[in-house]
């Protein structure tokens, strides 16, 4: 599941509605952000029931303050509404997947 989140409330509702959610924060003119997004989408598709929310910080500037974001891209993993893992700027996909897999296994038991 892939959903564009355009308000702070939609972001909050999204992480509250899903036991395990990945959030990708990007900007319009960020080539790295646009390159990482398909990789994150592909990774999330490997885990049934994991939701992906995409936030364009160019359209929702307030998200930077809400999430303490100083650079993009930022990819976050939320488990039961709590931020459990964060990577910014340089996304290590293997490390990100390791954390996602551990959290996924914890809710599958």
């Amino acid at each position: 599941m892939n959903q564009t989140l355009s308000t702070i409330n939609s972001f909050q509702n999204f992480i509250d509605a899903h036991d395990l959610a990945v959030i990708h924060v990007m900007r319009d003119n960020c080539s790295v952000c646009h390159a990482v997004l398909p990789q994150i989408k592909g990774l999330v598709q490997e885990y049934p029931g994991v939701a992906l929310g995409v936030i364009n910080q160019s359209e929702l500037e307030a998200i930077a303050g809400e999430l303490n974001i100083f650079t993009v891209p930022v990819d976050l993993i939320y488990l039961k509404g709590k931020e459990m893992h964060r990577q910014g700027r340089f996304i290590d996909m293997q490390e990100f997947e390791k954390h996602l897999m551990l959290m996924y296994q914890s809710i599958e038991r």
Side-chain angles (χ1 to χ4, degrees):
M1 177 183 173
N2 181 13
Q3 185 175 340
T4 300
L5 307 173
S6 55
T7 66
I8 299 292
N9 282 341
S10 66
F11 159 73
Q12 275 305 139
N13 292 338
F14 184 82
I15 62 170
D16 289 342
H18 300 94
D19 282 347
L20 190 54
V22 172
I23 302 293
H24 177 75
V25 182
M26 59 188 290
R27 289 188 70 80
D28 285 337
N29 297 320
C30 171
S31 59
V32 175
C33 301
H34 292 281
V36 169
L37 181 56
Q39 295 174 29
I40 292 291
K41 283 181 180 179
L43 178 61
V44 169
Q45 287 175 348
E46 294 178 24
Y47 296 90
V50 176
L52 173 62
V54 179
I55 301 173
N56 187 336
Q57 188 185 351
S58 299
E59 298 170 6
L60 183 59
E61 294 285 341
I63 199 69
E66 183 74 17
L67 298 177
N68 294 319
I69 292 175
F70 302 104
T71 187
V72 288
V74 173
D75 289 294
L76 308 110
I77 303 173
Y78 283 84
L79 177 64
K80 300 189 182 203
K82 304 274 190 232
E83 181 183 325
M84 301 300 287
H85 182 71
R86 169 187 295 232
Q87 287 191 25
R89 186 176 277 185
F90 302 108
I91 309 301
D92 180 339
M93 293 305 291
Q94 289 178 329
E95 183 74 11
F96 194 82
E97 181 173 14
K98 180 181 106 179
H99 287 275
L100 182 59
M101 181 181 63
L102 289 171
M103 286 177 243
Y104 185 79
Q105 290 172 343
S106 77
I107 61 170
E108 286 297 304
R109 293 183 179 156

